[in-house]
């Protein structure tokens, strides 16, 4: 008997059928991959499992016993733990308070803080991240560290079923490998793991079996052993994808942006770099190496402490984000929900937020023209949204990412700072993003492409700069790097041959 059985699950939102008669089984000690494009229904399925939303039809059983959680706390009590793709943490609470939230230890009617501190420390040590202080507010952590706190919180619950939704999207390769070790230990304890990821190579390594959803329906299931990437992709999209990293021919032009020993208040060391128009400069490095801090300083989100920027030959020092936008910069944040999008606003407002000029007449905004313009962007970017008026918070993570990228394209940015642009994006949408980035380079724009996913850096970029502890170790043409030398430079501060 499977530890979990979901039969005939259906869920609709108005005229949109998110799930249509979907069935799913999970065995004890099994890692079952749940795959599909953005908006295929994976997150909806797991929200039903956790009790966050109610299905319209269908039934669930845990160990053969009927299971119908009234809410997330009910699901937690039933032994279901969730690691959501969009981090579900309270930023004003400490690491310890977040991990123990809903699992507090009491003694004599009082919180036993010493016992809770010990449990948190033990869990963080198990994750091999004892350096994360339990007393630091979560809002002050990097996205990668927040992801580890989310994982620690899920592990704190003695669960029968652990759902991991894009758990490695913000993790370094080293931390991802540690996570796979933890999954193996959970399997030995008969914990069933539902693993959702768009990194199909890692899915092949970690999963025993798979189920693919397409447009809210079962597209196929099977044993992972012997299943190729092409088989999985064809089930996901209904057709073969011939090119994973499409290359658009482009030529490097004059230098568009130069950093002269630039250092921001949150950067460990000054950085000097140059990016030409028509060039895609990849930036590799471990999480915490200083890549995000570099982009934030360039865009004016973090204050510049010393050095300067040279834009098309004109030197400039400190600047606000609005000033940088006027200078032609566009930033795609790695934290799309925290700072990359206005979640409570519509798709239309998010795409046009940085440039209303095409829709203004005599000082007034033409809402009709704005909606018409955004409808064209929705079609061009293949964003799955009901209309331009739908709130961004109602979109899947991958479609939210497309909205954030559409804003940069809409504002006609000349220097694009892309921080993990394909995080949480399905394999077909990734190929589309690579195509768009190539088109931008063909148009003569400068692209700085930060990624922890080495294959895309090698497949998309013209040159790659590697960060190690705040410094640029080396910058070379992409064809002179391979995955091994990139990792050696990122982890040791030198290449394997150096």
């Amino acid at each position: 008997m499977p530890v979990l059985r979901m039969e005939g699950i259906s869920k609709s939102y108005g005229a949109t059928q998110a799930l249509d008669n979907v069935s799913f089984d999970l065995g004890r000690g099994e890692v079952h991959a749940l795959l599909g494009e953005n908006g295929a229904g994976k997150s909806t399925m797991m929200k039903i499992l956790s009790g966050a939303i109610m299905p319209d039809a269908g039934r669930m059983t845990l160990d053969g016993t009927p299971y119908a959680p009234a809410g997330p706390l009910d699901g937690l009590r039933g032994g279901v733990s969730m690691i959501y793709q969009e981090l579900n943490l309270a930023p004003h609470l400490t690491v310890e308070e977040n991990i123990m939230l809903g699992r507090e230890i009491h003694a004599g009617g009082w919180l036993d803080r010493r016992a809770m501190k010990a449990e948190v420390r033990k869990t963080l040590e198990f994750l091999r991240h004892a350096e994360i202080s339990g007393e630091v507010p979560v809002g002050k952590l990097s996205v990668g560290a927040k992801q580890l706190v989310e994982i620690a919180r899920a592990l704190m619950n003695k669960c029968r079923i652990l759902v991991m939704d894009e758990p490695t999207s913000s993790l370094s390769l080293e931390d991802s490998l540690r996570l796979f070790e933890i999954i193996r230990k959970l399997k030995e304890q008969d914990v069933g793991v539902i693993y959702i990821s768009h990194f199909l190579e890692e899915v092949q390594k970690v999963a025993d079996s798979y189920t693919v959803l397409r447009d809210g329906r079962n597209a196929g299931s099977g044993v992972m052993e012997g299943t190729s990437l092409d088989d999985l992709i064809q089930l996901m999209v209904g057709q073969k994808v011939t090119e994973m990293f499409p290359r658009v021919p482009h030529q490097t032009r004059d230098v568009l942006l130069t950093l002269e020993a630039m250092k921001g208040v949150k950067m460990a060391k000054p950085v000097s770099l140059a990016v030409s128009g028509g060039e895609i400069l990849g930036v590799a490095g471990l999480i915490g190496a200083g890549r995000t801090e570099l982009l934030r300083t360039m865009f004016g989100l973090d204050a510049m402490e010393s050095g300067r920027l040279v834009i098309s030959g004109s030197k400039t020092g400190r600047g606000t984000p609005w000033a940088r936008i006027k200078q032609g910069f566009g930033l795609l944040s790695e934290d799309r929900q925290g700072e990359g999008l206005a979640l409570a606003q519509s798709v239309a407002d998010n795409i046009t937020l940085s440039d209303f000029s095409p829709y203004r007449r005599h000082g007034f905004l033409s809402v009709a023209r704005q909606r018409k313009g955004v409808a064209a962007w929705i079609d061009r970017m293949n964003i799955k949204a009901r209309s331009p008026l739908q709130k961004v918070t109602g979109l899947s993570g991958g479609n939210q990412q497309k909205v954030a990228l559409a804003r940069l394209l809409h504002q006609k940015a000349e220097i694009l700072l892309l921080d993990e642009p394909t995080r949480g994006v399905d394999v077909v949408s990734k190929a589309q993003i690579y195509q768009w980035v190539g088109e931008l380079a063909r148009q003569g724009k400068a692209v700085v492409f930060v990624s922890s996913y080495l294959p895309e850096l090698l497949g998309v970029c013209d040159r790659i700069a590697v960060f190690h502890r705040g410094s640029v170790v080396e910058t070379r043409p992409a064809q002179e790097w391979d995955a091994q030398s990139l990792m050696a430079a990122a982890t040791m501060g030198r290449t394997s041959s150096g």
Side-chain angles (χ1 to χ4, degrees):
M1 182 182 296
V3 66
L4 168 69
R5 174 160 285 167
M6 303 176 76
E7 296 179 287
I9 303 296
S10 296
K11 179 68 181 179
S12 62
Y13 297 95
T16 303
Q17 188 78 34
L19 291 171
D20 185 8
N21 195 31
V22 175
S23 296
F24 180 90
D25 281 0
L26 176 69
R28 288 183 187 81
E30 177 190 27
V31 179
H32 194 109
L34 186 60
L35 307 174
E37 290 187 84
N38 295 122
K42 306 183 300 295
S43 293
T44 302
M45 190 83 165
M46 293 304 98
K47 286 177 182 176
I48 289 171
L49 172 61
S50 72
I53 58 176
M54 301 294 116
D56 297 332
R59 60 190 288 269
M60 296 184 285
T61 59
L62 287 179
D63 288 322
T65 303
Y67 169 71
L73 190 57
D74 234 11
L76 200 62
R77 287 169 180 157
V80 178
S81 282
M82 304 283 297
I83 299 172
Y84 288 105
Q85 175 184 348
E86 302 302 341
L87 302 179
N88 197 22
L89 300 167
H92 61 291
L93 298 181
T94 66
V95 168
E96 180 183 312
E97 290 165 339
N98 269 278
I99 291 175
M100 297 305 300
L101 198 61
R103 308 162 180 83
E104 293 84 356
I105 300 172
H106 301 271
W110 298 88
L111 288 176
D112 190 340
R113 295 194 177 275
R114 182 176 294 179
M116 291 194 294
K117 190 182 294 289
E119 285 293 318
V120 168
R121 181 56 42 207
K122 186 166 66 175
T123 304
L124 290 173
E125 286 174 356
F126 179 68
L127 289 171
R128 297 186 191 175
H129 276 280
E131 81 283 355
I132 299 177
S133 171
E135 298 173 1
V136 175
V138 159
K140 293 187 176 181
L141 298 179
S142 68
V143 174
K146 288 175 183 175
Q147 184 85 63
L148 290 163
V149 171
E150 187 82 78
I151 293 168
R153 186 168 68 172
L155 293 177
M156 187 64 69
N157 188 45
K158 308 305 178 188
C159 57
R160 288 187 282 176
I161 298 168
L162 178 60
V163 180
M164 295 183 163
D165 193 350
E166 297 288 350
T168 63
S169 60
S170 300
L171 297 185
S172 67
L173 178 61
E174 186 180 2
D175 283 330
S176 296
L177 293 175
R178 288 175 185 170
L179 181 64
F180 300 155
E181 288 178 19
I182 290 165
I183 290 172
R184 282 191 285 272
K185 291 178 182 177
L186 292 171
K187 284 179 63 176
E188 291 169 4
Q189 297 168 15
D190 276 348
V191 175
V193 177
I194 299 173
Y195 197 89
I196 302 172
S197 177
H198 293 302
F199 295 113
L200 297 183
E201 300 94 335
E202 75 179 28
V203 166
Q204 282 187 311
K205 292 176 184 175
V206 77
D208 303 305
S209 54
Y210 67 88
T211 293
V212 177
L213 298 185
R214 186 168 72 242
D215 297 327
R217 298 182 179 89
N218 279 98
S221 299
V223 176
M224 187 61 75
E225 188 176 358
T227 303
S228 69
L229 288 179
D230 288 343
D231 293 336
L232 294 174
I233 293 169
Q234 190 161 358
L235 283 173
M236 287 169 63
V237 302
Q239 60 186 13
K240 285 191 175 182
V241 177
T242 55
E243 200 170 9
M244 295 298 295
F245 299 104
R247 296 283 297 184
V248 177
H250 55 273
Q251 291 186 334
T252 301
R253 308 182 187 185
D254 294 336
V255 173
L256 197 55
L257 172 68
T258 304
L259 310 184
E260 295 181 347
M262 186 197 74
K263 184 182 181 304
V265 292
K266 293 184 180 179
M267 291 172 61
K269 297 173 185 176
V271 169
S272 296
L273 273 177
V275 193
S276 299
E279 180 183 29
I280 306 168
L281 175 67
V283 183
L286 302 180
I287 290 170
R291 302 169 303 165
T292 294
E293 290 77 7
L294 171 73
L295 265 56
R296 290 177 62 87
T297 303
M298 291 165 67
F299 194 65
L301 283 170
D302 293 339
M304 192 185 297
E305 200 173 65
S306 60
R308 53 193 168 183
L309 294 172
V310 181
I311 306 167
S312 299
S314 301
K315 295 183 178 181
T316 179
R318 298 177 182 180
T320 64
W322 186 239
R324 292 290 188 242
I325 288 172
K326 288 182 177 179
Q327 291 168 341
F329 282 79
L331 172 68
L332 184 76
S333 171
E334 67 167 344
D335 184 5
R336 61 173 169 255
Q337 290 215 337
E339 60 185 23
L341 294 166
L343 295 177
Q345 299 300 314
S346 67
V347 172
D349 285 341
N350 271 275
I351 289 178
T352 60
L353 202 54
S354 52
D355 184 14
F356 284 124
S357 58
Y359 317 111
R360 272 204 310 254
R361 283 286 176 89
H362 309 298
F364 292 94
L365 178 68
S366 170
V367 177
R369 291 183 67 197
Q370 181 197 31
R371 289 179 191 170
K372 184 179 179 181
V374 170
W377 279 108
I378 289 173
D379 184 59
R380 177 182 170 187
M381 305 288 283
N382 194 25
I383 298 168
K384 292 184 180 178
R386 292 192 292 274
S387 78
L389 297 181
Q390 182 179 359
K391 290 186 177 180
V392 165
T393 190
L395 302 182
S396 69
N399 284 296
Q400 288 180 358
Q401 190 78 338
K402 289 183 182 180
V403 170
L405 183 58
R407 183 174 67 244
L408 302 195
L409 302 184
H410 172 267
Q411 78 184 43
K412 298 182 175 65
E414 291 297 317
I415 301 169
L416 292 101
L417 311 177
L418 309 181
D419 199 352
E420 303 286 0
T422 63
R423 185 172 75 86
V425 174
D426 65 67
V427 65
V428 174
S429 296
K430 280 181 183 177
Q432 290 173 343
I433 289 174
Y434 303 147
Q435 180 87 24
W436 294 328
V437 169
E439 286 289 345
L440 292 169
R442 187 180 61 78
Q443 295 166 23
K445 300 178 188 291
V447 181
V448 181
F449 193 110
V450 171
S451 177
S452 300
Y453 185 43
L454 301 185
E456 72 182 3
L457 288 177
L458 293 166
V460 173
C461 300
D462 302 309
R463 288 189 301 143
I464 301 175
V466 182
F467 267 70
H468 175 74
R469 295 186 176 179
S471 295
V472 177
V473 177
E474 193 169 356
T475 305
R476 300 189 210 160
Q479 62 266 28
E480 295 181 15
W481 290 105
D482 57 24
Q484 184 179 353
S485 58
L486 281 174
M487 278 306 300
T491 56
M492 299 184 290
R494 58 178 176 80
T495 60
S496 55
S497 59

